[in-house]
Amino acid sequence: MFFSSKKKKPAVDDNAALQKRLADTIQYMKQTSENLEKRVEHLNRLRDDCRLKGQKCLKSGDKVAAKNQLIYMRKYEKEIQSLYGKRMNLETQVMALQSTAVDREVLNAMRMGRDVMRTVSYHHQEFARNYIIPAWYGISCDYVTLSLHYLGY
């Protein structure tokens, strides 16, 4: 039940649907990364405001308020670092998904090439069997085709 050895199939089997889902996921992750960047910019402004308020408090002699502003500033810096890490993870996943999409396209192209090569090879073998080999030996094509058929080729 919980630890079954059967692996689940992916929810999407259709190639076009999978490509659309992949593109949508990449787009969503990029949008999330941009939102994180906006949040970082906002926190940077808040951090700078705290620094300025703390400097004003020090000049006016209020050390307790300056210390509180320093605590807020450090809290904002910690949150900014956390957001940078999250953004880096998102961008790493986006690159991995894009790499997967490229690998998928290359694999599909290679499959198409393999199928074409098989078709060409089959037709080439048929042509050689029916026309080239008999011409070397001066045999008519119909005789060779019939004899190869009876031999099991």
Side-chain angles (χ1 to χ4, degrees):
M1 219 181 196
F2 291 108
F3 300 106
S4 66
S5 62
K6 293 182 181 178
K7 292 187 178 183
K8 294 181 181 178
K9 285 181 121 181
V12 181
D13 287 335
D14 186 19
N15 192 23
L18 184 63
Q19 286 180 348
K20 182 180 180 337
R21 185 173 177 201
L22 185 64
D24 290 344
T25 302
I26 290 172
Q27 181 64 30
Y28 180 73
M29 292 177 94
K30 285 182 179 180
Q31 183 181 9
T32 304
S33 179
E34 290 172 5
N35 290 342
L36 286 175
E37 181 61 29
K38 291 177 186 176
R39 177 77 176 140
V40 166
E41 289 172 7
H42 175 68
L43 289 174
N44 278 330
R45 283 192 298 271
L46 291 176
R47 182 193 63 195
D48 293 341
D49 289 343
C50 284
R51 187 173 41 84
L52 292 174
K53 286 179 185 177
Q55 287 174 348
K56 286 181 185 177
C57 291
L58 273 178
K59 286 181 182 177
S60 68
D62 190 2
K63 290 183 179 182
V64 174
K67 183 180 177 183
N68 286 337
Q69 291 301 319
L70 181 64
I71 290 171
Y72 283 124
M73 189 177 82
R74 286 185 181 159
K75 187 168 66 169
Y76 291 140
E77 286 175 351
K78 186 176 180 181
E79 182 67 21
I80 289 168
Q81 291 301 319
S82 172
L83 290 176
Y84 277 137
K86 291 174 185 177
R87 188 166 181 233
M88 183 64 72
N89 286 340
L90 277 175
E91 290 176 359
T92 302
Q93 287 183 351
V94 166
M95 287 191 295
L97 287 173
Q98 288 172 339
S99 175
T100 301
V102 168
D103 291 346
R104 189 171 181 80
E105 290 297 319
V106 168
L107 185 61
N108 286 338
M110 291 175 74
R111 284 181 183 157
M112 288 174 59
R114 176 199 64 199
D115 294 342
V116 169
M117 288 177 70
R118 282 183 179 171
T119 304
V120 168
S121 175
Y122 174 77
H123 290 299
H124 178 70
Q125 288 173 358
E126 287 294 315
F127 181 77
R129 184 181 302 146
N130 294 331
Y131 298 104
I132 296 175
I133 294 172
W136 285 343
Y137 296 107
I139 304 171
S140 74
C141 295
D142 293 334
Y143 174 74
V144 171
T145 304
L146 288 174
S147 61
L148 287 175
H149 176 73
Y150 286 116
L151 291 175
Y153 290 107

